[in-house]
Amino acid sequence: MRGIIVTVLSKSPEKAREIAGSIAKLEDKNKVEIYYRKLSPDLLLSLLVPTDYPDSILNAVSTATLSDVIIFYGDEPLNSFDGELLLLMGMLEKKSIIIGGDERIKKLASSAGVKNALFVDSPHEIRFEDLAVDKNAGFIYIDRVFPVRGVGTVMLGYAKTSIRAHDKFVSLPAKKEIEIKSIQVLDVDFEEVGYGTRVGLAIKGEEYERLKETYSLVRGNLTEKIEGKIVKLPWSVDLKNGNEYHILQRRLLFYWNS
């Protein structure tokens, strides 16, 4: 089993829901809604809709960062929120699909750095099977951790690498080595899953309290220090001590308190 992760962005949460619902079935209703569709027996499409945008941009940023493909609905009249989402797409450099719009949308997307976007009139024109990727980012994104009686600690998230039962990872932020006891996808057991799959993981012999803050499981050695150059966008305010800044490095998002 492998998967494709897609985020649907729009300044209108209702329109984003409408697009996602026309493609797949709603299975998880929260601040980020998740829609699933089996494209084939071994290919699962996950559509993510951040429903708290434009009130908050954080979930839109995190879901778009996680995804392999971004769908943007460019409805008129355009406003600053459309520009903000297009800038996000341009910075992430993901595969982009823009639904609707005219030459104005194309020019705006190009000026925001969105390259080689596919423009369609309807979501039904999208062939998701052609968008599948085969990567190994070396981690599992975790968005939920909870205890299950008789099972132990269970984590839900997205595989950004292949996973086998009994594989070992390091949990963040606890930096504790854990072992995957079993894997489920849509309530079906699997011995192995591939990149992009929405997974439920049972963790072997570890207490929930130690792992409840987990946001990622990573392979290999941890890097405690990151060196690089910070480039401030021209419209950003000057950096000041005591403020929180979001630093974007290609497809990874970091949070930094000065």
Side-chain angles (χ1 to χ4, degrees):
M1 174 66 72
R2 59 196 179 101
I4 308 170
I5 310 170
V6 179
T7 287
V8 182
L9 296 179
S10 170
K11 63 175 174 282
S12 167
E14 292 75 19
K15 192 63 185 181
R17 287 189 181 102
E18 179 184 328
I19 291 170
S22 71
I23 300 170
K25 181 181 178 182
L26 175 62
E27 296 287 352
D28 195 335
K29 194 170 184 179
N30 213 309
K31 286 186 177 180
V32 176
E33 294 184 351
I34 305 178
Y35 297 71
Y36 295 126
R37 177 180 165 187
K38 273 283 196 75
L39 298 174
S40 71
D42 66 344
L43 185 59
L44 176 66
L45 171 67
S46 296
L47 286 174
L48 311 181
V49 177
T51 61
D52 53 354
Y53 188 82
D55 293 335
S56 171
I57 196 174
L58 290 181
N59 282 322
V61 171
S62 62
T63 56
T65 303
L66 173 68
S67 297
D68 305 302
V69 181
I70 299 174
I71 296 175
F72 172 76
Y73 180 72
D75 56 337
E76 298 281 0
L78 300 177
N79 61 26
S80 60
F81 296 119
D82 294 291
E84 186 172 59
L85 293 175
L86 287 170
L87 283 170
L88 172 63
M89 293 164 62
M91 288 188 293
L92 292 176
E93 300 181 355
K94 302 293 182 76
K95 293 180 181 177
S96 300
I97 300 171
I98 297 178
I99 299 175
D102 51 19
E103 290 301 317
R104 186 177 176 217
I105 282 284
K106 293 181 180 180
K107 290 179 180 178
L108 184 60
S110 178
S111 65
V114 180
K115 300 177 181 178
N116 302 318
L118 172 65
F119 289 84
V120 299
D121 294 323
S122 163
H124 301 293
E125 298 177 36
I126 304 170
R127 285 187 52 84
F128 289 99
E129 294 88 345
D130 298 338
L131 301 174
V133 296
D134 185 14
K135 297 181 180 178
N136 182 11
F139 74 97
I140 307 168
Y141 172 83
I142 301 298
D143 56 55
R144 206 170 304 171
V145 184
F146 52 91
V148 175
R149 181 174 296 179
V151 176
T153 301
V154 171
M155 299 183 180
L156 300 183
Y158 281 96
K160 303 292 281 187
T161 182
S162 60
I163 315 170
R164 286 180 174 270
H166 309 299
D167 276 358
K168 293 183 179 180
F169 289 83
V170 176
S171 66
L172 297 178
K175 301 177 184 177
K176 182 174 182 58
E177 185 176 78
I178 60 94
E179 180 180 334
I180 306 297
K181 181 167 61 176
S182 62
I183 306 167
Q184 282 195 343
V185 178
L186 298 179
D187 298 323
V188 177
D189 290 327
F190 285 83
E191 281 295 312
E192 180 179 8
V193 296
Y195 178 96
T197 312
R198 175 71 172 173
V199 292
L201 305 173
I203 308 302
K204 182 177 180 180
E206 293 295 339
E207 295 180 3
Y208 164 73
E209 288 298 323
R210 293 186 178 185
L211 299 175
K212 64 181 180 181
E213 302 297 331
T214 300
Y215 59 80
S216 184
L217 301 177
V218 299
R219 294 188 190 274
N221 297 324
L222 297 177
T223 299
E224 297 287 345
K225 183 179 180 180
I226 298 174
E227 295 184 1
K229 180 181 179 181
I230 296 176
V231 178
K232 185 173 73 70
L233 297 175
W235 53 84
S236 300
V237 298
D238 291 334
L239 301 179
K240 295 181 180 179
N241 289 333
N243 291 347
E244 180 182 272
Y245 299 95
H246 298 172
I247 303 172
L248 180 71
Q249 180 183 353
R250 296 289 291 175
R251 291 175 293 274
L252 298 177
L253 181 69
F254 299 91
Y255 296 96
W256 169 51
N257 282 295
S258 65

